[in-house]
Amino acid sequence: MSDLGSEEFEEEAETDLGEYDGERNAAGERHGHGRARLPNGDTYEGEYAYGLRNGLGTYRFKNGARYIGEYLQNRKHGNGIFMYPDGSKYEGEWVEDERHGNGVYYYANGDTYTGEWFNHRRHGQGTYIYADTGSKYVGGWVNGNQEGGAELIHLNHRYQGKFVNKYPIGHGKYVFDIGCQQHGEYVQSETDKGEEEEEEETSAVIAPKWKATKLTKLTLWTPAPEKPPPPEEPAAAATTAEEEPANAVAPEVAESAEPPTEESTEAMTPPKEAEEEEEINKEDQADQGEEERETINTSLEEKEEETKEAEEPDISRDD
């Protein structure tokens, strides 16, 4: 379906300015906001600058088409909406009266194209949706035709590969929703080539045929889980989830809360040998003190006896 509209007839109306009601500048030119009725029946209402449509405006064609958007020196330039007589519509960017940039085209049969435009044609990257089947083409375009790497998405499967002049060509694959994918390539058979050479008068291009090579399982992409940051403690001090009980506490708290071990008990209480040795030492000290007291008493008794003997007279001696 052609996406050309009535905008090509807009230029013809400029040969006769027709009727005008609106603002003018000092030179008498249409300048500011105004309304014009052209001799061919078209009408324009919007902004003017120095006698030309410039700025926002609405142009209505006598055949029912209509443009609402920006103008620059009488040309559609900027963002605008063009509604065609057949019911199709374009919303997007314009450059010098041509669809150029990014825009959406709504076709009369219900199809839609969303993507890039160049010189009035689909060119670049874009998505075309077929209304009757629900299929969708997502990929490259060149001068209005599907070309380059793309994906053709159907109801329960999709094709991924390369397109040339709206036909798939070369290696690609079909991806099925049942969980498998078929690899292969689109080739033009020798029979097709011969027929094309014999029937040179036929302008129709023979579509290439699909040749499958292998069938593989569908590999679904799943996001990898994020790994938690490593613990700050050394690996030797950390315990695994299996070894660590559910009510585990921090190592510092665990050390203070743990019952004393045998080693700590030995460190806290003196051993039995030490106690016995200490008792023996006490007994020896007691015996030693007793001996010292006896020795002192004995020496005192001896001194007393010597004193008595010295004081008593010698009765055995004759006078």
Side-chain angles (χ1 to χ4, degrees):
M1 178 180 292
S2 173
D3 51 12
L4 294 177
S6 303
E7 65 267 20
E8 62 267 24
F9 302 108
E10 187 177 347
E11 196 67 28
E12 298 178 2
E14 297 304 318
T15 57
D16 191 343
L17 296 177
E19 301 175 2
Y20 174 75
D21 180 18
E23 299 175 332
R24 296 179 182 270
N25 60 10
E29 298 172 317
R30 300 177 182 183
H31 194 85
H33 187 82
R35 293 184 296 272
R37 182 177 181 84
L38 290 83
N40 66 350
D42 295 350
T43 61
Y44 171 78
E45 181 176 358
E47 300 297 320
Y48 282 87
Y50 302 101
L52 302 176
R53 294 187 296 273
N54 203 90
L56 292 175
T58 301
Y59 194 104
R60 300 175 187 271
F61 297 84
K62 62 180 179 180
N63 62 0
R66 182 173 55 183
Y67 172 79
I68 304 172
E70 296 177 295
Y71 277 91
L72 180 65
Q73 296 182 351
N74 269 1
R75 294 179 179 272
K76 295 180 284 295
H77 193 93
N79 287 289
I81 303 172
F82 199 105
M83 287 161 276
Y84 297 90
D86 61 357
S88 58
K89 180 174 68 171
Y90 172 79
E91 297 180 6
E93 297 176 318
W94 297 78
V95 174
E96 296 185 352
D97 270 346
E98 292 184 340
R99 295 182 289 271
H100 192 101
N102 288 289
V104 182
Y105 199 106
Y106 302 89
Y107 294 87
N109 65 350
D111 295 354
T112 59
Y113 170 79
T114 305
E116 296 177 294
W117 295 79
F118 184 82
N119 290 343
H120 231 41
R121 294 184 177 182
R122 299 179 293 263
H123 191 91
Q125 293 294 313
T127 300
Y128 192 101
I129 300 177
Y130 299 87
D132 56 346
T133 62
S135 298
K136 181 165 56 175
Y137 173 90
V138 183
W141 295 78
V142 175
N143 293 327
N145 293 321
Q146 299 167 351
E147 192 161 324
E151 185 175 37
L152 186 59
I153 305 170
H154 300 286
L155 182 62
N156 56 5
H157 69 282
R158 62 185 64 197
Y159 173 76
Q160 299 172 347
K162 183 180 178 181
F163 286 73
V164 174
N165 194 23
K166 80 180 180 179
Y167 289 106
I169 193 71
H171 293 280
K173 66 179 179 180
Y174 280 94
V175 180
F176 298 93
D177 292 349
I178 57 176
C180 64
Q181 50 191 11
Q182 186 184 69
H183 301 260
E185 63 177 325
Y186 273 99
V187 296
Q188 196 163 10
S189 64
E190 296 295 331
T191 304
D192 293 338
K193 289 181 180 179
E195 292 176 356
E196 188 176 0
E197 291 174 359
E198 292 175 2
E199 301 176 2
E200 294 180 358
E201 68 278 2
T202 305
S203 59
V205 179
I206 299 175
K209 293 183 179 180
W210 173 250
K211 182 180 178 182
T213 56
K214 64 178 179 178
L215 189 70
T216 62
K217 251 178 121 175
L218 179 62
T219 304
L220 297 177
W221 178 85
T222 54
E226 295 184 1
K227 295 183 179 180
E232 296 181 359
E233 295 80 11
T239 57
T240 61
E242 296 179 356
E243 297 174 346
E244 187 176 1
N247 57 350
V249 294
E252 302 85 12
V253 180
E255 289 179 1
S256 60
E258 286 180 356
T261 59
E262 293 182 1
E263 295 180 358
S264 60
T265 305
E266 291 178 0
M268 293 168 60
T269 58
K272 292 182 179 180
E273 295 179 357
E275 292 180 355
E276 292 177 357
E277 186 176 353
E278 188 176 353
E279 291 180 358
I280 293 172
N281 292 336
K282 288 181 180 180
E283 293 177 356
D284 293 342
Q285 292 176 0
D287 294 341
Q288 188 175 0
E290 188 67 26
E291 290 179 358
E292 291 177 356
R293 285 193 295 272
E294 290 179 358
T295 304
I296 294 171
N297 293 333
T298 303
S299 58
L300 290 173
E301 289 178 355
E302 289 178 354
K303 287 182 179 181
E304 289 179 357
E305 289 179 359
E306 290 177 358
T307 305
K308 287 181 179 181
E309 290 178 357
E311 293 179 353
E312 288 181 359
D314 189 3
I315 56 175
S316 60
R317 187 168 148 187
D318 293 335
D319 294 334

